Amino acid sequence: MYVYTLELLLFIDYQVMRTGFTLLAALVALSMTILSCKDDTPWKSEKNESEIISGDEDNNQNGNTSSGEDTGDEDPKQGETDDNQNTGGGGLEGPVTVGDETVYTGVAAWTGPKADDSASDIAGSDSDIYWEACTWNDIVTVIYDGSTASVTKTNDKIISNVSGAHVTIDLETNSVSNVCVILKGSSSDGSFKLYGTKKSRLALCGLDLASTKGPAINIQQHKRVFVHMPDGSVNRITDAAAYSDDSYYIAGASSSTEDRKAAFFSEANLIFSGSGCLVLNGKYKHGLCTDGYLYTRPGVTLAVESAAANCLHAKGDDEELFGVKINGGCLYARATALDGKCLKADMSIYVNSGKIDFSASGDAGKGIKSDLDVVINGGDIDITTSGAAYYDASTADVSSACCIKSDGNLSILGGNLDLSSTGQAGKGIKAGSDDNAGMNIVIGTAEGGPVMKIATSGSSYGGSSSGPGGGRPGQGGGTTTSGSSKPKAVKASGTVTVNGGDITITTSGSGAEGIESKSATANSILLEGGNIYLNTYDDAINSAGQIVIDGANVLAVATNNDAVDSNYGKTGSLLIKSGALFAHSYTEESLDCDNASRITISGGTLFTTAGSSMGASGSPSCSVPVLKLSSFSVTQGYFTLTDASGNVIFSAYAPKSVTSRCTYITAPELKSGNTYKYGMSGTSAPSGSTSLWGTYYYTGGTASVSNSFTATSSLTSK
């Protein structure tokens, strides 16, 4: 560096003698550029060279260079170093600003849900995620004012084109990097387009922008863009309902070669930060769409009020292998279109924290939809779908609404979820399909899990029936020719495993089931932990394979069909090993395996009631003491099992009065040869008892019940 500087000074001396002071001034500017390359702190607005472009002026593409040498700001590959990365450990000091980010306050306030987690947004040193860890050499400021816009920039190599209030910033033609663009102001006939080949930063500092030509914001670069919304900023953007040509294209580009399909469209990965909000309305197709990934940091509010197709749409990044990561903030979306999704990704979706408020009212609408996997680790998630189902002749399948749908695997490991589907054949959560078998659902971990409520209230969709959503628009009306679908709270083409969490499932529409697995395998439904409450119209738990209760507390109530139904057709189709199962069917069987001999009981706590007798024939295989009652009158309240002295072994809530045709009772405390008592002990839990699960399951205390039996080593019938 020192040798280079000495040579440069000698060269300057020689050139000054030949050309005088003009060239000297230019070389001094070059020296300043060299020194700026040595500075690795975020650029502050200390440069005083600038150019203001307004009206219809077009900056010459071959303009003079004033600053901003190319620093090689390519996104680093794994194992390589990014020259612009701050490699210091820990969080970065803040707040950090780049240029004048004073907020324009003339934008209508957003009165909907907002992020409340900005305090947890601590900038790190990863320059692929945190713009604070990058160096920003130049600034472009665009101010919209009705039918015009002004552009201020710090580098003559930055090309700017202004046509009325339609602005294009071209960083690609002259290979300018490390640029921050600030947008603010208002226009009902304006837009912003960005070309570039390196990382860029886009600051939305109070922007009210509606386009009559195409997207309001159009990012035509493939390197990531950091979108920052300063505290207090409200930004509203709307695209045109029909698109026309832009006023500026880089060499070789045209409307036929550039993709455009949203109010905010981007070819690049988008990383949103700040505690402002962005409100979008997509008239042409999507509200926000990126052909890269979508990433949100805490504090961000993204709100899509309307969209002609999907509200938030991300194609995903092939190298990063995900489409969406929600690491905080608030996402709000209202999808009304046929097949409209509030959040759609071609690749996997990860929700780690933040708030989600989604509603999809169009036929077959989805709250969250991924063509690959969905992983939810945390967050407060509220999703409602209300659209009807329809038969799609092009796919020969019925499409219905769903709160969370993955074509791959679905994991809900934490968070607070409230999911409601009121439409015909609506689903709560679903993994895979008939054409994509073997996709699994996992809920919770051994350490805990989500608090999740799932409710469906729509009716079934019948094969040749007519009604709402009978046929897809353009296919000849509302009467279908084939296909059927039932409402399901939880449905997997593969297995369903619950390791932990508190899960409440209710279904009320005709044919509506609780948990269903289409996998005809062992452990098709494996309930290993957590508390699971189901109150359903049809089967509460249904599987093509084996159902295993091994550690979970389960209350399964079916009002019009079986409480637990396995179609595995083998010994051990229903295996009860540990945990607790309270199964009640008002009209059918509590435990249905087509033959009672396919039920295996080797442990756990069990209490069942059934409106009909159990199976066609046979008896369960029991390696522990089990009592079977062929007729038992149950009144709404608590069934209690005690020892001979009245000490409570367990007390379980029975939700309805019924004459049970088949009742099974067991508990780990039962010993062969000992006498025990059982019966209905009242509408309150026994005196002195301790709750093991809400108001459903108690132990300890004392109770007076009148029926008695002596346990054997296996099944005892009475």
Side-chain angles (χ1 to χ4, degrees):
M1 179 66 183
Y2 293 117
V3 174
Y4 177 78
T5 304
L6 178 59
E7 291 176 347
L8 178 62
L9 291 174
L10 291 173
F11 178 75
I12 290 172
D13 183 63
Y14 173 70
Q15 292 298 332
V16 167
M17 289 188 293
R18 291 189 56 191
T19 62
F21 290 98
T22 301
L23 185 55
L24 175 60
L27 290 170
V28 169
L30 177 59
S31 299
M32 292 175 64
T33 301
I34 294 170
L35 292 175
S36 70
C37 293
K38 191 68 175 176
D39 183 10
D40 59 2
T41 60
W43 189 88
K44 311 297 183 183
S45 55
E46 296 170 352
K47 296 184 180 181
N48 55 20
E49 301 89 350
S50 65
E51 181 177 352
I52 298 178
I53 310 293
S54 61
D56 295 322
E57 297 179 17
D58 183 357
N59 190 51
N60 192 325
Q61 293 191 17
N62 297 314
N64 295 326
T65 300
S66 62
S67 62
E69 291 296 318
D70 188 349
T71 58
D73 186 26
E74 296 286 348
D75 286 337
K77 304 299 182 183
Q78 187 173 5
E80 296 180 356
T81 301
D82 183 352
D83 291 338
N84 292 318
Q85 179 171 331
N86 185 325
T87 57
L92 300 176
E93 293 184 0
V96 179
T97 60
V98 180
D100 181 8
E101 295 186 355
T102 303
V103 172
Y104 169 71
T105 59
V107 184
W110 166 246
T111 59
K114 298 177 183 178
D116 55 8
D117 58 353
S118 59
S120 64
D121 185 28
I122 301 175
S125 58
D126 183 354
S127 62
D128 283 345
I129 299 299
Y130 301 103
W131 61 264
E132 299 93 331
C134 302
T135 300
W136 304 104
N137 292 333
D138 289 293
I139 293 177
V140 176
T141 301
V142 181
I143 299 178
Y144 292 89
D145 185 7
S147 60
T148 63
S150 63
V151 177
T152 304
K153 56 185 182 173
T154 60
N155 188 344
D156 287 345
K157 291 180 68 177
I158 298 172
I159 299 171
S160 51
N161 177 275
V162 180
S163 177
H166 296 276
V167 178
T168 301
I169 300 298
D170 178 4
L171 309 177
E172 181 173 341
T173 298
N174 291 326
S175 299
V176 184
S177 62
N178 304 341
V179 176
C180 172
V181 180
I182 298 171
L183 304 182
K184 62 178 69 177
S186 175
S187 175
S188 60
D189 183 13
S191 65
F192 173 78
K193 180 160 72 167
L194 177 67
Y195 290 105
T197 58
K198 310 296 171 66
K199 295 177 186 177
S200 299
R201 180 180 183 272
L202 185 64
L204 305 182
C205 299
L207 179 68
D208 193 349
L209 190 60
S211 177
T212 58
K213 300 175 66 174
I217 296 179
N218 183 4
I219 308 298
Q220 290 293 322
Q221 70 175 49
H222 294 274
K223 293 300 179 182
R224 71 194 65 229
V225 174
F226 301 94
V227 184
H228 184 70
M229 298 179 290
D231 183 29
S233 67
V234 178
N235 305 278
R236 292 179 173 271
I237 65 171
T238 304
D239 65 344
Y243 286 5
S244 58
D245 286 351
D246 292 331
S247 57
Y248 179 92
Y249 294 93
I250 61 171
S254 67
S255 59
S256 62
T257 62
E258 291 184 354
D259 196 9
R260 303 179 298 167
K261 51 194 174 190
F264 189 131
F265 175 75
S266 175
E267 292 283 357
N269 298 332
L270 295 178
I271 300 99
F272 282 86
S273 65
S275 53
C277 64
L278 174 60
V279 184
L280 306 104
N281 285 275
K283 293 183 177 181
Y284 179 74
K285 197 170 185 181
H286 308 309
L288 182 148
C289 177
T290 171
D291 282 352
Y293 66 62
L294 171 64
Y295 186 108
T296 67
R297 290 168 53 177
V300 168
T301 297
L302 297 181
V304 183
E305 294 180 313
S306 65
N310 300 329
C311 293
L312 301 164
H313 187 111
K315 183 176 181 180
D317 187 296
D318 292 335
E319 292 184 0
E320 301 287 350
L321 299 178
F322 72 88
V324 175
K325 275 191 181 179
I326 307 303
N327 273 3
C330 175
L331 272 62
Y332 171 96
R334 295 296 182 262
T336 59
L338 175 75
D339 285 321
K341 288 89 176 172
C342 294
L343 175 62
K344 165 66 168 66
D346 295 359
M347 302 184 73
S348 295
I349 295 174
Y350 295 86
V351 180
N352 297 320
S353 63
K355 295 193 297 186
I356 290 177
D357 184 337
F358 287 166
S359 175
S361 58
D363 289 355
K366 309 292 189 294
I368 296 174
K369 168 63 170 66
S370 170
D371 293 349
L372 292 179
D373 299 339
V374 173
V375 179
I376 296 175
N377 293 308
D380 295 318
I381 301 171
D382 190 327
I383 301 176
T384 299
T385 65
S386 56
Y390 70 85
Y391 177 75
D392 189 344
S394 65
T395 60
D397 196 10
V398 175
S399 184
S400 60
C402 185
C403 294
I404 302 176
K405 169 70 169 66
S406 66
D407 289 349
N409 297 316
L410 172 57
S411 299
I412 302 178
L413 308 180
N416 296 285
L417 295 89
D418 192 342
L419 312 177
S420 174
S421 185
T422 63
Q424 189 179 37
K427 311 295 189 292
I429 63 176
K430 181 180 178 182
S433 63
D434 293 341
D435 296 328
N436 194 22
M439 298 297 105
N440 306 320
I441 292 177
V442 176
I443 299 174
T445 68
E447 290 72 36
V451 176
M452 181 162 60
K453 296 179 181 179
I454 305 177
T456 70
S457 58
S459 62
S460 294
Y461 180 90
S464 58
S465 64
S466 61
R472 184 168 186 163
Q475 294 182 349
T479 300
T480 63
T481 56
S482 61
S484 63
S485 182
K486 293 182 178 181
K488 314 278 183 181
V490 177
K491 180 177 181 179
S493 66
T495 63
V496 177
T497 301
V498 179
N499 297 307
D502 287 284
I503 303 162
T504 301
I505 291 173
T506 58
T507 70
S508 57
S510 174
E513 295 182 328
I515 298 175
E516 182 186 57
S517 166
K518 291 293 188 180
S519 175
T521 62
N523 298 317
S524 175
I525 295 179
L526 178 59
L527 307 180
E528 292 189 301
N531 301 315
I532 308 166
Y533 171 89
L534 306 101
N535 192 322
T536 62
Y537 180 97
D538 208 292
D539 293 347
I541 302 173
N542 179 283
S543 176
Q546 183 189 40
I547 299 172
V548 179
I549 313 296
D550 190 13
N553 295 323
V554 181
L555 173 55
V557 180
T559 59
N560 288 277
N561 213 322
D562 303 320
V564 181
D565 183 1
S566 169
N567 300 292
Y568 198 34
K570 301 179 182 180
T571 300
S573 292
L574 171 60
L575 174 58
I576 303 169
K577 298 174 65 177
S578 68
L581 173 60
F582 309 123
H584 307 284
S585 171
Y586 300 156
T587 60
E588 299 292 333
E589 300 176 36
S590 55
L591 310 177
D592 180 9
C593 296
D594 297 327
N595 189 312
S597 65
R598 295 170 183 164
I599 300 171
T600 299
I601 304 173
S602 62
T605 299
L606 178 66
F607 170 58
T608 72
T609 63
S612 65
S613 59
M614 180 74 65
S617 60
S619 296
S621 173
C622 303
S623 59
V624 295
V626 178
L627 174 64
K628 176 184 177 182
L629 304 175
S630 58
S631 181
F632 179 63
S633 180
V634 176
T635 57
Q636 184 178 10
Y638 286 91
F639 170 85
T640 301
L641 176 68
T642 73
D643 63 13
S645 301
N647 297 306
V648 173
I649 296 172
F650 78 84
S651 185
Y653 181 73
K656 185 179 180 179
S657 298
V658 63
T659 299
S660 176
R661 302 302 181 186
C662 184
T663 297
Y664 288 102
I665 303 165
T666 190
E669 292 83 359
L670 297 185
K671 305 297 180 184
S672 178
N674 291 349
T675 298
Y676 300 92
K677 294 183 177 182
Y678 65 91
M680 304 306 297
S681 61
T683 56
S684 300
S687 174
S689 62
T690 300
S691 172
L692 297 179
W693 174 24
T695 59
Y696 306 126
Y697 182 22
Y698 291 84
T699 190
T702 58
S704 177
V705 287
S706 57
N707 304 295
S708 64
F709 74 101
T710 299
T712 66
S713 60
S714 58
L715 184 68
T716 300
S717 297
K718 187 174 179 180

